[in-house]
Amino acid sequence: MKHAIRRTLDEVRDSAAHGAPPPADDEILARALAVASDAATGLTVVINATGVVLHTGLGRAPLPEAAVDAAARAGSGYSDLEVERATGARGRRSTRAELMLTALTGAEAALVVNNGAAGVLLGLAALARGKQVLVSRGS
């Protein structure tokens, strides 16, 4: 709460320095409570009515209920994420996903990356080796 009050007072002071009249004390307190409430309640489920199917400002694609349940089970304790159970040695995080991808697609091998940029880079490295590629740096 102390941080919320301090942040709100800083905003009020900044506005006053730019000529805005100071709000009433109860409005300052209401603003601080809103800041504290947002921090305390965390993320809120919303309806995506933006027209953008996968809006990154609204998080990522919603998970199916089965995936939510599996993530909750995996997150409720320790798991063998990077440990080879047979040997106890350190394994690779992506082993299971790669096995599932090769089984699903029939491919010889699979490579799992943790973000889209890495996937694009690997795809370009494989498909455009020695060629020029146009890259957009804007939005």
Side-chain angles (χ1 to χ4, degrees):
M1 185 66 183
K2 180 179 176 182
H3 171 74
I5 292 171
R6 186 173 286 152
R7 179 174 152 190
T8 303
L9 288 175
D10 287 345
E11 290 172 1
V12 168
R13 288 181 185 119
D14 186 55
S15 294
H18 289 89
D25 291 348
D26 58 343
E27 183 179 336
I28 294 172
L29 183 58
R31 287 185 196 178
L33 287 171
V35 170
S37 175
D38 285 347
T41 58
L43 299 175
T44 303
V45 175
V46 297
I47 295 172
N48 179 2
T50 65
V52 178
V53 176
L54 293 176
H55 193 296
T56 56
L58 299 177
R60 298 294 183 235
L63 295 172
E65 197 62 38
V68 172
D69 293 343
R73 281 191 310 278
S76 66
Y78 295 108
S79 67
D80 59 347
L81 178 64
E82 291 183 1
V83 175
E84 297 291 338
R85 287 185 290 200
T87 64
R90 186 75 175 232
R92 286 186 15 255
R93 176 178 295 242
S94 59
T95 300
R96 286 179 186 84
E98 291 166 1
L99 285 170
M100 287 188 255
L101 278 171
T102 55
L104 180 67
T105 64
E108 290 179 20
L111 178 64
V112 176
V113 295
N114 67 350
N115 64 48
V120 169
L121 178 64
L122 290 169
L124 283 174
L127 299 173
R129 184 177 308 268
K131 299 176 184 166
Q132 290 187 344
V133 176
L134 295 175
V135 178
S136 171
R137 295 179 55 107
S139 54

